Amino acid sequence: MGSEHFDVLIVGAGLSGIGAGYHLQANCPGKTYAILEGREASGGTWDLFRYPGIRSDSDMYTLGYAFKPWREAKAIADGPSILKYVRDTAIENGIDRHIRFGHQVKRASWSSADARWTIEAEVGPNKDAVRLTCNFLFMCTGYYDYAEGYTPQFAGTDQFQGQIVHPQKWPEDLDYSGKKVVVIGSGATAVTLVPEMAKTAAHVTMLQRSPTYVVSRPAEDAAANWLRAKLPAKLAYGITRWRNVLFGMLFFNLARKKPEKTKQQIIDMVRQHLGPDYDVATHFTPRYNPWDQRLCLVPDADLFDAIKDGSASVVTDQIDGFTKTGLKLKSGQELDADVVVTATGLKLQLLSGLQVSVDGEPVNMASTMSYKGMMYSGVPNLASAFGYTNASWTLKCDLTCEYVCRLLNHMDRTGQPICTPKPDPTVGEAPWLDFSSGYVQRSIDQFPKQGTRKPWKLHQNYALDLVSLRFGSVDDGVMQFSKPQARASQDLAA
């Protein structure tokens, strides 16, 4: 089987993959690249999810790219607007011409003698085998399984006479108008779905096992819109972006240092929305501290408004099982439902399930340690884009792309085309993510570890990462640079 060669192969044509294409073109203009996308459309998450009300849970001044100002009025944007933004970025910069759709990347094999990866992919409905090679592999596939979401095993689902739907596979023809809907879950998807479905459903119940922290923010950022009217778009965008970054860092640090005070402030805000008679203690007071799990954002208090006007309600209980007409709860209460939405989370998946081998030896990625939150100990010339858990995804991905370009340019300047984060046995191990969320805990054993000191430790802090990734030395003594083995031996002979 013949193979086509590129300097860089990017896997994934979503938010981070399109960003990677832009940074390569801007900072490594001589590099050839292609973007391999498993689906038949670009946009990643923002094309895959089609459920009602799909939107960001981060403001677009930080979820947007650093290089492309967000120009819409709404800061908390809907999914179609974000998808358009991603695709417009690709078209405006000619990145779309580099995308190869329908390429499901399955295996990546590294050869130190050749200083290159061999990528095997399955193409199209017949899963035709295709092989490509590259000097550097950049994985921009996100962190969850696109094939299916997570649904717990519930007793009695076979006898339920209504419809059960997971948000990741939303049926185009689902008509829930005038129907009783139960949304199982309390995360970002659930708090998005409930107020949106409540607009036309007979009633929507959010059924949660335990509460989540929910905060409201205006959908439109008045200060940002004022700045955009007065200043050039890029300047206004940059000011708003940094203001939001700094505010997010301040809030996160406050939550970590004074969790009880932060918890009380959030709960007091919920009580202000729902009134003194609402049982906030049961339905909106989590057992954990703020930022032990990701907070849920609701624009313009839409969830609280739906609860107040009676079109939606919250039940905090555990499911005993499905019945013919709905759900029976452990408390004995029964919920009637025509439609049940299992907003029960994602299945995490590292590198889209890629099988990796180095010089013929399979690599168990879970046994590696994460370098700067993007590369893996002992694995050469491979990086992955992974965003923040406590801030916008794109903030970290933009910095990752910048760093990868610096790395590529350093290797070109020094004539050493191989870069490998060298394992350090003296560094202590810690979980890859310090998050108590169920979707993280279910899959954390499949992910690499992080270290207890830099550059192996994840900061989850944009300012620290900015200093490290944009300005820190690429040749830091941990990243090992080398030449291909065969070429090195030829140099010695000469």
Side-chain angles (χ1 to χ4, degrees):
M1 187 193 307
S3 61
E4 202 174 353
H5 182 75
F6 296 90
D7 293 321
V8 180
L9 278 176
I10 298 165
V11 183
L15 191 62
S16 48
I18 299 300
Y22 175 89
H23 282 278
L24 270 177
Q25 292 180 177
N27 300 312
C28 304
K31 298 290 183 189
T32 59
Y33 79 95
I35 302 176
L36 306 182
E37 168 56 50
R39 303 173 69 243
E40 294 297 337
S42 62
T45 293
W46 303 108
D47 179 70
L48 175 70
F49 283 103
R50 306 290 179 92
Y51 60 80
I54 172 71
R55 58 169 172 79
S56 69
D57 65 349
S58 302
D59 69 274
M60 285 306 298
Y61 298 98
T62 55
L63 188 66
Y65 300 116
F67 56 83
K68 181 175 170 60
W70 176 252
R71 299 172 185 269
E72 303 298 321
K74 279 195 172 183
I76 309 301
D78 60 86
S81 297
I82 300 171
L83 181 60
K84 182 178 184 300
Y85 173 83
V86 173
R87 288 179 176 168
D88 284 351
T89 303
I91 293 167
E92 289 164 11
N93 295 283
I95 300 163
D96 57 323
R97 297 194 295 270
H98 294 261
I99 303 172
R100 302 190 177 192
F101 293 107
H103 281 60
Q104 289 278 354
V105 174
K106 296 295 184 181
R107 285 167 292 280
S109 308
W110 170 260
S111 167
S112 295
D114 302 311
R116 64 174 52 182
W117 287 99
T118 297
I119 309 302
E120 296 175 55
E122 294 174 353
V123 181
N126 296 328
K127 298 185 177 181
D128 298 322
V130 170
R131 183 177 292 161
L132 303 98
T133 60
C134 64
N135 301 112
F136 197 95
L137 180 59
F138 197 0
M139 300 296 294
C140 296
T141 52
Y143 64 105
Y144 66 89
D145 188 346
Y146 272 49
E148 59 179 359
Y150 172 73
T151 306
Q153 292 294 317
F154 295 117
T157 53
D158 54 335
Q159 63 174 314
F160 179 56
Q161 294 178 346
Q163 194 165 359
I164 302 173
V165 177
H166 193 285
Q168 194 164 320
K169 292 190 175 180
W170 197 269
E172 285 185 27
D173 59 350
L174 179 64
D175 180 13
Y176 54 87
S177 56
K179 294 182 178 179
K180 289 173 283 189
V181 178
V182 173
V183 177
I184 304 172
S186 60
T189 303
V191 302
T192 299
L193 276 166
V194 170
E196 184 65 24
M197 297 183 78
K199 292 175 181 177
T200 57
H203 186 80
V204 181
T205 302
M206 186 169 89
L207 173 59
Q208 59 181 13
R209 187 172 51 185
S210 58
T212 299
Y213 289 104
V214 180
V215 295
S216 174
R217 280 178 62 181
E220 293 193 14
D221 186 328
N225 290 342
W226 183 86
L227 282 171
R228 195 167 59 250
K230 303 293 183 183
L231 299 173
K234 198 155 190 177
L235 177 60
Y237 180 68
I239 293 170
T240 303
R241 185 179 175 90
W242 266 109
R243 181 204 66 181
N244 290 2
V245 165
L246 293 172
F247 175 79
M249 288 168 54
L250 179 68
F251 179 67
F252 178 77
N253 288 330
L254 181 66
R256 287 302 199 197
K257 289 176 182 175
K258 297 183 177 179
E260 284 302 320
K261 182 179 179 181
T262 307
K263 179 176 185 174
Q264 197 56 52
Q265 287 176 336
I266 295 171
I267 292 165
D268 286 347
M269 285 190 285
V270 174
R271 193 170 278 116
Q272 287 173 16
H273 285 294
L274 294 175
D277 298 330
Y278 189 84
D279 190 358
V280 172
T282 298
H283 303 307
F284 287 98
T285 305
R287 295 189 292 263
Y288 56 88
N289 287 330
W291 282 118
D292 284 353
Q293 299 182 22
R294 194 173 171 94
L295 274 63
C296 284
L297 174 67
V298 294
D300 294 332
D302 60 359
L303 175 66
F304 304 131
D305 288 345
I307 293 169
K308 283 192 293 186
D309 69 24
S311 61
S313 58
V314 180
V315 173
T316 304
D317 206 335
Q318 294 189 47
I319 297 170
D320 188 52
F322 277 72
T323 66
K324 286 184 179 180
T325 57
L327 291 155
K328 185 177 180 182
L329 308 181
K330 294 278 176 127
S331 64
Q333 181 183 357
E334 294 196 19
L335 296 176
D336 288 340
D338 302 302
V339 177
V340 174
V341 182
T342 54
T344 45
L346 306 166
K347 283 186 177 179
L348 297 198
Q349 187 179 54
L350 180 66
L351 305 181
S352 198
L354 182 71
Q355 295 177 26
V356 178
S357 64
V358 172
D359 294 327
E361 293 295 323
V363 177
N364 176 11
M365 299 301 289
S367 67
T368 67
M369 187 173 283
S370 175
Y371 172 85
K372 294 183 182 286
M374 69 178 82
M375 296 181 73
Y376 305 90
S377 59
V379 181
N381 291 36
L382 185 151
S384 60
F386 193 89
Y388 292 117
T389 56
N390 64 349
S392 290
W393 178 265
T394 320
L395 287 174
K396 179 64 180 290
C397 291
D398 262 340
L399 291 178
T400 298
C401 292
E402 286 184 37
Y403 176 83
V404 166
C405 291
R406 292 181 66 211
L407 193 59
L408 293 170
N409 290 334
H410 176 86
M411 290 191 288
D412 284 349
R413 281 195 307 271
T414 59
Q416 299 179 102
I418 302 174
C419 61
T420 311
K422 187 179 180 181
D424 185 344
T426 68
V427 177
E429 291 185 349
W432 178 66
L433 282 180
D434 181 22
F435 243 33
S436 63
S437 304
Y439 71 96
V440 172
Q441 295 304 314
R442 283 193 301 270
S443 309
I444 196 69
D445 60 333
Q446 301 171 26
F447 283 76
K449 304 295 187 292
Q450 65 165 307
T452 52
R453 65 173 186 261
K454 65 179 186 180
W456 306 101
K457 186 174 176 58
L458 290 171
H459 293 305
Q460 299 292 350
N461 182 301
Y462 180 71
L464 291 176
D465 282 336
L466 179 70
V467 172
S468 169
L469 301 179
R470 184 177 291 176
F471 302 111
S473 175
V474 172
D475 192 356
D476 60 358
V478 175
M479 183 66 77
Q480 188 173 11
F481 295 94
S482 60
K483 295 182 179 182
Q485 292 172 355
R487 193 180 304 160
S489 62
Q490 289 167 8
D491 290 347
L492 287 173

